[in-house]
């Protein structure tokens, strides 16, 4: 394990909070002090649970043990944080650290430290395996997983009991349950949010349930694979075409609206992540959760999602940044963050602690899915463009008169062009 130099003052910009305007990065705070800046995303949904509070507490504890270190944290909403960091990088003034949604573009331009350069061996080895792999570009890890979640099928127990049905295990079961819910007057028997907010997630969840995915066995895009075409043909013909997805066209239904409808008791089934459990419980909805149904049985792999911590090379400060990140990724701190925002730990030690704890029972279903989950191809610099295209176009694949093979083939052609430009 490399020996770290700790003479300066580290100023980290809070990862996970709102507001705060960033100044320049680099040496600030006095002759003996080194200030490291961290820009972070806010996982809270109001001022009372802003991520800024998490970072303030963590930084206070760190600085108490490192009196020559100052951590300067700025937290922005998810609507702004990636753009803020892009603007800082473009201006030649990147933060020392950024906790954001993507890393591949910065890594491709040699702007980031490698995980090997930053973290102690025990900390780096503690990352959940597939999350660490998803942080790699060409076999080298640049993205440090910071928060994760998986997707499962939520169902409204009250509506299911009224219809006399049980949770589905296969696509056929899901369609039958949706028919029964429709007969009982349920507005959205199955909510299928393929609107532009987060269509890439629902799309990948369904691709995986049909044995496909965004990429093939050699990690090239395989969007128009036979498996994916069959999946969307089934969605179009057996769910959407039979009026089982509700009054709003899937291409116009966003995830937030679908979650809100579930909280109102208007949805029988939908795919969701841990925050939906919190939303539903707060609204008094009696819900259950099961693994996503597959074509022939329970899906072998579900969608996993991760957000990323990155460290920029321009300002130097490698050892100081690494020391602080070792602290950030301690079991105690990873657990505290995960519990505060109902997310899954990104380290094996914290995952084991959560699995053994009674206070985390509501997350156990999601935690059980994590080892077999598959993540977006975030290591491809083309993924941001491909994801944007999926958000805009995939709803057309299940629309009346739409062509699943035609839409997926167009997306594949655009993805191939973007990939060849990497």
């Amino acid at each position: 394990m490399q020996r770290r130099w700790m003479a300066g003052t580290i100023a980290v910009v809070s990862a996970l909070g709102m507001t705060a305007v960033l100044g320049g990065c680099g040496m600030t705070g006095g002759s003996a002090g080194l200030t490291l800046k961290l820009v972070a995303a806010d996982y809270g949904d109001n001022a009372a649970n802003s991520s800024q509070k998490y970072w303030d507490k963590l930084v206070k504890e760190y600085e108490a043990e490192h009196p020559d270190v100052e951590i300067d944290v700025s937290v922005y909403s998810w609507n702004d944080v990636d753009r803020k960091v892009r603007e800082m990088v473009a201006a030649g003034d990147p933060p020392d650290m950024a906790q954001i949604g993507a890393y591949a573009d910065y890594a491709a331009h040699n702007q980031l430290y490698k995980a090997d350069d930053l973290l102690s061996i025990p900390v780096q080895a503690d990352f959940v395996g597939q999350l660490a792999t998803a942080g790699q570009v060409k076999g080298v890890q640049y993205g440090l997983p910071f928060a994760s979640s998986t997707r499962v099928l939520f169902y409204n127990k009250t509506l299911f009991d009224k219809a006399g049905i049980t949770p589905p295990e296969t696509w056929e079961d899901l369609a039958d349950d949706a028919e029964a819910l429709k007969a009982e007057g349920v507005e959205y028997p199955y909510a299928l949010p393929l609107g532009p907010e987060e269509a890439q997630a629902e799309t990948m969840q369904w691709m995986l349930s049909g044995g496909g995915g965004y990429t093939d066995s050699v990690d090239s895009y395989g969007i128009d694979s036979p498996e994916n075409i069959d999946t969307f043909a089934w969605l179009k013909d057996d769910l959407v075409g039979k009026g089982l997805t509700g009054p709003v066209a899937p291409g116009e239904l966003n995830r937030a609206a679908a979650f809100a409808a579930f909280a109102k008791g208007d949805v029988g089934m939908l795919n969701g992540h841990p925050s939906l459990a919190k939303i539903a419980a707060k609204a008094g909805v009696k819900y259950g959760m099961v693994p996503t149904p597959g074509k022939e049985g329970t899906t072998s792999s579900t969608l996993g999602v991760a957000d990323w911590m990155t460290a920029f090379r321009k300002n130097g400060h490698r050892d100081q940044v690494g020391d602080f990140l070792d602290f950030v990724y301690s079991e105690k701190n990873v657990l505290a963050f995960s519990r505060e925002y109902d997310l899954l730990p990104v380290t094996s030690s914290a995952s084991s602690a959560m699995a053994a704890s009674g206070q985390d029972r509501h997350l156990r279903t999601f935690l059980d899915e994590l080892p077999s989950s598959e993540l977006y191809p975030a290591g491809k610099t083309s993924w941001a463009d491909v994801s944007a295209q999926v958000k805009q176009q995939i709803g057309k694949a299940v629309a009346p008169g739409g062509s699943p093979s035609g839409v997926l083939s167009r997306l594949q052609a655009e993805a191939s062009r973007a990939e060849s430009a990497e």
Side-chain angles (χ1 to χ4, degrees):
M1 195 169 79
Q2 65 186 13
R3 188 168 178 265
R4 302 205 192 286
W5 174 68
M6 280 302 302
T9 303
I10 303 179
V12 181
V13 186
S14 238
L16 303 178
M18 290 176 61
T19 61
V21 178
L22 295 178
C25 300
M27 293 293 293
T28 60
S31 59
L34 172 70
T35 294
L36 299 181
K37 290 184 176 289
L38 166 66
V39 176
D42 192 2
Y43 290 80
D45 55 14
N46 58 63
N49 70 350
S50 167
S51 296
Q52 189 74 52
K53 292 188 175 182
Y54 168 81
W55 286 103
D56 287 349
K57 183 175 184 296
L58 183 148
V59 165
K60 183 178 180 181
E61 183 178 344
Y62 184 79
E63 291 180 343
E65 297 181 3
H66 302 80
D68 293 331
V69 174
E70 180 186 349
I71 310 296
D72 177 13
V73 182
S74 294
V75 179
Y76 295 93
S77 77
W78 273 108
N79 293 329
D80 299 321
V81 66
D82 286 282
R83 174 178 55 83
K84 288 284 187 182
V85 173
R86 283 196 303 272
E87 290 173 351
M88 295 174 71
V89 172
D93 189 26
D96 295 284
M97 292 166 278
Q99 187 268 302
I100 47 181
Y103 64 86
D105 278 349
Y106 301 125
H109 288 91
N110 197 32
Q111 294 171 318
L112 301 180
Y113 282 118
K114 303 172 186 177
D116 286 345
D117 295 333
L118 293 169
L119 302 175
S120 64
I121 292 173
V123 170
Q124 190 176 355
D126 197 26
F127 286 130
V128 174
Q130 70 268 42
L131 299 181
T133 300
Q136 295 178 356
V137 175
K138 298 180 179 179
V140 178
Q141 186 180 358
Y142 295 92
L144 313 181
F146 185 78
S148 69
S149 69
T150 56
R151 300 293 196 270
V152 298
L153 184 77
F154 282 72
Y155 66 96
N156 184 309
K157 287 186 173 181
T158 302
L159 298 179
F160 266 57
D161 288 346
K162 185 178 179 182
I165 55 179
T166 57
E169 295 182 1
T170 66
W171 287 0
E172 184 179 358
D173 294 341
L174 189 147
D176 290 344
D177 284 350
E179 288 279 12
L181 291 164
K182 181 181 179 182
E184 290 293 332
V186 176
E187 189 172 6
Y188 293 88
Y190 177 83
L192 182 64
L194 295 177
E197 179 193 355
E198 204 190 27
Q200 84 283 1
E202 185 76 7
T203 296
M204 184 167 173
Q205 186 77 344
W206 276 100
M207 285 178 169
L208 291 172
S209 75
Y214 283 119
T215 56
D216 58 23
S217 59
V218 295
D219 201 35
S220 295
Y221 286 111
I223 296 174
D224 62 347
S225 69
E227 294 84 359
N228 291 341
I229 291 173
D230 287 348
T231 294
F232 277 84
W234 185 86
L235 284 172
K236 180 179 183 294
D237 296 337
D238 290 69
L239 282 188
V240 181
K242 293 181 179 179
L244 301 178
T245 54
V248 179
E252 299 174 5
L253 181 64
N254 282 326
R255 180 202 61 178
F259 280 15
F262 188 80
K264 289 174 60 180
D266 294 336
V267 174
M269 301 172 280
L270 81 168
N271 288 320
H273 52 63
S275 70
L276 181 57
K278 191 172 185 178
I279 293 169
K282 186 176 181 179
V285 174
K286 295 181 180 179
Y287 66 91
M289 299 180 293
V290 294
T292 302
K295 189 173 184 179
E296 304 295 340
T298 301
T299 303
S300 60
S301 182
T302 189
L303 170 64
V305 177
D307 301 323
W308 305 99
M309 177 70 77
T310 59
F312 286 87
R313 299 172 63 240
K314 181 172 183 180
N315 300 320
H317 312 153
R318 182 193 71 176
D319 292 338
Q320 299 94 323
V321 169
D323 189 84
F324 176 70
L325 290 178
D326 272 0
F327 178 75
V328 168
Y329 283 105
S330 69
E331 179 182 320
K332 175 177 71 73
N333 289 327
V334 172
L335 267 178
F337 176 80
S338 301
R339 285 168 170 163
E340 177 66 26
Y341 299 103
D342 284 323
L343 293 166
L344 303 183
V346 296
T347 62
S348 296
S349 61
S351 294
S352 296
M354 179 174 279
S357 172
Q359 76 178 89
D360 302 306
R361 284 190 300 270
H362 63 297
L363 293 173
R364 197 157 294 156
T365 300
F366 300 98
L367 197 61
D368 289 343
E369 295 291 306
L370 187 59
S372 62
S373 65
E374 291 192 28
L375 285 81
Y376 300 131
K380 293 179 177 291
T381 58
S382 57
W383 170 241
D385 289 338
V386 172
S387 175
Q389 288 299 320
V390 170
K391 291 178 183 180
Q392 295 301 319
Q393 298 187 43
I394 197 64
K396 300 172 185 176
V398 298
S403 168
S405 62
V407 170
L408 293 175
S409 293
R410 286 196 298 274
L411 287 169
Q412 174 64 30
E414 292 168 359
S416 295
R417 284 194 294 271
E419 188 171 32
S420 65
E422 289 184 356

